Amino acid sequence: RMPETLQPEKEFTVSVSEKARKPMTYTLAIVDEGLLDLTSFKTPNAWGEFYAREALGVRTWDLFDRVLGASSSTMGPLLGIGGDEALKPSRDNVNRFKPVVQFIGPFALKGGETKAHTLRLPQYVGSVRVMVVAGGGGAYGSAEKTVAVKSDLMTLSTLPRVLGPGEEVWLPVNVFAEKSARNVQVTVKTGGLLTVVDKTSQILSFDEPGDDILFFKLRSGKTTGAEQVLIQASGDGVSFTETIDIAIRNPNIPTVITEARLVEPGETAQLEVETGSVEPEDWATLELSRLPSVNFSRNINYLLEYPHGCTEQITSRGFPLLYIDKFTTLSDEEKQQASAIVDEVIRQISSRQLADGGFMFWYGDHYSSEWATTYAGHFLIEAMNKGYEVPEAVMSRWVQFQVRLAQNWLPTNPNLGYYRYSMIDLQQAYRLYTLALSGNAELGAMNRLRELPSLSLQARWRLAAAYAVAGRKEVANALVFNVTDEVEEYSFNNDTYGSSGRDQAMILEAYLLLDNLEKAMQLAPSVANSLSASYITTQSASFGLVAMAQLAERIGDGNIDVDWSLNGKAMARVNTPKAIHQETLEPGARLSVSLTNNGEGALYARLSARTIPAADAELEPKQGRLRLSARYVGLDGKLLEVKSLTQGTEFIAIVTVQNSAEQPFTDLALTQLFPSGWEIFNERMLDEAAANTDGGYNYRDIRDDRVLTYFNLGTGQSKSFRVRLQAAYRGKFYLPAVSCQAMYAPGEEAKNSGAWVTVE
């Protein structure tokens, strides 16, 4: 028993009793009806669960989803898109959707007793379902009631999901008066990142129950972060409060500015960087190392903030975090954050496992990617060795998949498609290495691969590492005796998404497994150089950091002993036996570090600072072998000028990417950021056929304010991609540049310039 209607932020009572006056135990849940509608949730029937027929205890295999998925998409992968943003939770903590979910109990009820629960709903308007699930003496039951939540005076307001610096938006406030309220005063307050232009309060008059709408103009400043807009309405003794959380974000990509020096014993060096401005998530570090500098801060930031999320990339994001304690001293909070990211990567990878035990490359794929499967499994093994919890079922299925492929592998050249550089022997060698690492060494397959006369340099070193892990170091040493560790540059169109920098990091790891520290130290500068390059792939950054962390763990005696000052202020002396040490600095528009090396050996020092270009900065347009053009058309197909649109206009953005090079490009990423006042129309949610990749792309990730599209482009080929939009909010907004980047090809990028647009 409970009231027929509820009011937000007002207490109410729910009474629970058993009709036949029997004793029972029960739980009570109150949930937003709209949230339940997403999955057509029904109040649980415990009887049906506990007394259901048991399934036949025979192991079976179900391939129906794979057979069906061969010709059509499925809703599971469709709704499971994206997710990579969760790996680095925003410090802004903006949650626009605050569902009502209250669950209390269990409670014990005596025979004939009635229990009353006094509850209170948060600020919410809508409908909730109240559910009781009970049991006692082998009997089970449930009851439910749906009630409306409303107030005599209510407001309904809306804002875009995000805003950018320097933008203006009109906030519509719809006021509902259930009872006659002669005068209703509406006031808007902000936290400071947004300011109300002109009036902060307005008055509405009602002669009878009804609703009316008011508009308030808001403007964002240069500061980014989490903002809260408070809307207060009051009249005739009735009041109502509504809050909207919104993120003020800079749409531009962060960059890391660094300066590095080699400081000899007794020498004093000066390092300076200038960012010009400081954002809430900016940081600065001083890296000191007895090893060649790995540019740790820039590379770890690059991996954590990388916007794309295939299986290879999320694995690269988590891998170095397993060794982060070798680079820097973490506080307890930072350790928890790093562990949370690793746990999330494990969860993401596990969710991408297919029925055959392999891992898909993109969500929604119906086939396993061999290299991504081996790479992800390598990470899971190392995570287990570091004490992380990895589902046993995931690992056992992965081992079965790897063993099957290893045993059936033949040195044949597959149909390469877009990939022009085959590395099938490295695929097999890496697979054998990870199997040995997991304790499931396939010595027969290893021996067969070792006898291959045309074994590539990379495969030879990785196979040697597999033998070393399997306890056969004499075979490993013989395999690489007098073999060079220099890897020449090769095509980025390869089936392992690799580079020479990635391969040298793998060779460095093999040296350490063979206890050849001298050779590892000689190779370290080359690996460090690739980590400091202007452009680096995710895999090169990941393997490089992991290999250098393992080297730092093995390096001999010595101390980092440094006196230093920041912007003229003396700081605490650094004296540590670690091979690599990092100091966290307070970000600033200009940083100047002076340091003296008191140690006995040379010291590598690097000052790094993260910054983001101004939201409307005129970034240099770029057109090279990749060219792109963007145009906008109405639903009738006619060209549309978007610098000034009428509110409610629906239109389509069409971006055409052309390859003018005499070679194909694989794994291109098209990034389209849209103005805050434009809403993306996700046609996939209404039309399942639109989720298929017949549009010329491999995968598409649709987010609040941007669309990321991944595709391949043949020689001389061009492709066009369409996104349906609506000019939903009045105001002045910034349209960022469109960019297209080859994720594994250094320097291959195209972008246009941004512009300001208005919606009236």
Side-chain angles (χ1 to χ4, degrees), residues 104-254:
I104 57 175
F107 304 100
L109 194 69
K110 298 178 182 178
E113 184 183 8
T114 297
K115 279 200 171 180
H117 303 277
T118 301
L119 302 169
R120 182 189 185 103
L121 290 179
Q123 184 58 57
Y124 167 82
V125 174
S127 178
V128 295
R129 189 193 306 174
V130 184
M131 296 172 280
V132 176
V133 177
Y140 302 93
S142 62
E144 66 175 47
K145 184 172 184 175
T146 300
V147 295
V149 184
K150 58 184 180 179
S151 176
D152 292 339
L153 179 63
M154 299 177 289
T155 63
L156 179 62
S157 310
T158 182
L159 280 173
R161 299 191 182 185
V162 295
L163 275 176
E167 294 186 339
E168 296 178 353
V169 64
W170 287 91
L171 166 67
V173 180
N174 203 359
V175 181
F176 298 86
E178 286 287 314
K179 297 181 179 179
S180 179
R182 188 81 182 164
N183 295 306
V184 176
Q185 182 175 358
V186 180
T187 303
V188 175
K189 298 179 180 179
T190 64
L193 301 184
L194 287 172
T195 56
V196 183
V197 181
D198 300 329
K199 299 178 182 178
T200 60
S201 294
Q202 298 185 50
I203 295 178
L204 275 177
S205 296
F206 293 90
D207 295 327
E208 59 184 19
D211 70 285
D212 205 347
I213 193 166
L214 293 171
F215 291 93
F216 294 85
K217 190 176 182 180
L218 304 179
R219 180 181 296 146
S220 58
K222 294 183 178 180
T223 307
T224 61
E227 176 64 297
Q228 188 172 81
V229 179
L230 183 68
I231 301 105
Q232 296 174 320
S234 60
D236 293 348
V238 182
S239 62
F240 186 86
T241 301
E242 180 185 3
T243 59
I244 300 177
D245 292 326
I246 186 169
I248 312 298
R249 59 90 180 98
N250 188 327
N252 286 330
I253 298 174

Side-chain angles (χ1 to χ4, degrees), residues 397-412:
R397 291 165 61 193
W398 174 83
V399 169
Q400 293 171 11
F401 177 85
Q402 295 290 83
V403 168
R404 184 172 67 254
L405 264 62
Q407 292 178 345
N408 297 326
W409 183 83
L410 293 173
T412 55

